[in-house]
């Protein structure tokens, strides 16, 4: 099996969303989750402030992680220069 981690771009958004949906099902009792949350994830991945990576095993997307600049006041304040945080870290269950 070949596993590759690659930077995500516009063409990778749906692959990352697919990983989010599949990777989160176990904690949601097999459900995909609310559509509003899936749209929120898409919006985050489209944001110019975020960047993300997709992991593929034999060309199948199996992992994703997004990062964003950190802000003061629990995300409501000014940017903290040189600091980011990881968000939306998901792996499909078969690759845990």
């Amino acid at each position: 099996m070949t596993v590759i981690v690659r930077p995500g771009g516009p063409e990778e958004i749906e692959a990352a969303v697919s990983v989010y949906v599949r990777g989160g099902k176990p904690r949601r009792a097999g459900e995909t989750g609310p559509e509003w949350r899936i749209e929120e994830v898409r919006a985050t991945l489209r944001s110019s402030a975020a960047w993300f990576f997709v992991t593929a095993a034999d060309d199948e997307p199996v992992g994703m992680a997004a990062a964003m600049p950190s802000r003061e006041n629990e995300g409501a304040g000014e940017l903290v220069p040189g600091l980011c945080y990881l968000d939306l870290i998901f792996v499909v269950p078969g690759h845990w």
Side-chain angles (χ1 to χ4, degrees), residues 37-74:
R37 179 61 181 139
I38 295 168
E39 286 304 317
E40 203 172 62
V41 169
R42 269 193 194 95
T44 296
L45 298 175
R46 287 184 186 125
S47 169
S48 62
W51 58 99
F52 68 99
F53 293 87
V54 174
T55 301
D58 295 332
D59 293 324
E60 177 195 354
V62 296
M64 63 88 71
M68 291 167 237
S70 291
R71 293 181 173 272
E72 296 174 348
N73 297 328
E74 298 180 6

Side-chain angles (χ1 to χ4, degrees), residues 4-88:
I4 296 173
V5 178
R6 58 184 181 249
E11 71 284 354
E12 296 284 336
I13 290 173
E14 290 310 311
V17 170
S18 168
V19 171
Y20 165 78
V21 169
R22 293 180 294 143
K25 277 186 174 183
R27 74 177 177 83
R28 294 188 298 262
E31 299 293 321
T32 59
E35 189 59 35
W36 66 264
R37 179 61 181 139
I38 295 168
E39 286 304 317
E40 203 172 62
V41 169
R42 269 193 194 95
T44 296
L45 298 175
R46 287 184 186 125
S47 169
S48 62
W51 58 99
F52 68 99
F53 293 87
V54 174
T55 301
D58 295 332
D59 293 324
E60 177 195 354
V62 296
M64 63 88 71
M68 291 167 237
S70 291
R71 293 181 173 272
E72 296 174 348
N73 297 328
E74 298 180 6
E78 296 294 316
L79 288 173
V80 179
L83 188 63
C84 74
Y85 70 96
L86 290 173
D87 190 22
L88 300 173

